[in-house]
Amino acid sequence: MGEKRDPVGEKEIVEKFQALRSEREDLASSLYARGADLQEHEVVIRALQPLEGKRRCYRLIGDVLVERTVAEVLPAVQHNRDQLSEVVKSLKSKMEVKQKELGDFQAKFKIRMRGEGPQEPSPSPKPAAANASQGVLVGSS
């Protein structure tokens, strides 16, 4: 994990680039899911706030639906929302760092994705085996 050496060959560069993209996509997916959870908590809080504190409500804890009062549930949901908000902030920060790392790596090794930037004309289509890099172009230094 503490490996910080630069990749040597084109294959290593492509693998490292794809790993960075995968990490970024994992962060984005997690950020999206936690953001959706946060929005759901906001909806529940808005629905519970105007209700009387001793009114019955039901809360799903794990796989068990339990009966509680609004006064018991609302603070717990607000606490969970606050924790989710911190997680979302942390994920956004990690996402920005990973995006910068990916951009720096891309610039350092002159990597372009198909459809990005100026394209050099291709004289003839290449066979499928030549496309093993999965759309990643690596420029020589």
Side-chain angles (χ1 to χ4, degrees):
M1 182 169 171
E3 185 177 313
K4 285 290 185 182
R5 69 174 182 80
D6 281 342
V8 178
E10 183 176 330
K11 182 179 178 184
E12 286 184 42
I13 292 170
V14 170
E15 287 173 356
K16 174 70 174 173
F17 179 71
Q18 289 174 338
L20 287 171
R21 284 182 55 205
S22 177
E23 290 172 21
R24 183 193 61 190
E25 295 306 315
D26 290 346
L27 281 171
S29 175
S30 184
L31 180 60
Y32 177 77
R34 296 300 79 76
D37 290 346
L38 185 59
Q39 288 177 346
E40 288 177 15
H41 278 69
E42 291 290 343
V43 168
V44 170
I45 289 168
R46 282 194 303 271
L48 291 177
Q49 279 178 332
L51 300 178
E52 196 175 311
K54 56 187 168 185
R55 185 170 176 173
R56 271 191 310 187
C57 68
Y58 297 89
R59 182 173 183 207
L60 189 63
I61 301 176
D63 290 336
V64 178
L65 191 62
V66 294
E67 182 179 334
R68 298 280 189 249
T69 64
V70 169
E72 293 171 319
V73 171
L74 186 57
V77 173
Q78 289 171 327
H79 177 72
N80 287 350
R81 181 218 33 213
D82 295 343
Q83 287 181 327
L84 274 171
S85 181
E86 290 301 315
V87 169
V88 166
K89 284 179 190 174
S90 172
L91 285 171
K92 282 181 181 178
S93 173
K94 288 178 183 178
M95 181 77 169
E96 289 170 4
V97 168
K98 189 57 67 178
Q99 185 64 39
K100 181 176 180 349
E101 182 181 353
L102 184 62
D104 292 347
F105 188 86
Q106 211 170 347
K108 180 177 182 176
F109 291 102
K110 300 175 185 160
I111 298 172
R112 289 182 291 128
M113 300 300 294
R114 287 194 184 137
E116 278 185 7
Q119 292 288 321
E120 297 161 6
S122 176
S124 64
K126 297 186 180 191
N131 294 331
S133 66
Q134 298 177 355
V136 178
L137 303 173
V138 180
S140 58
S141 298

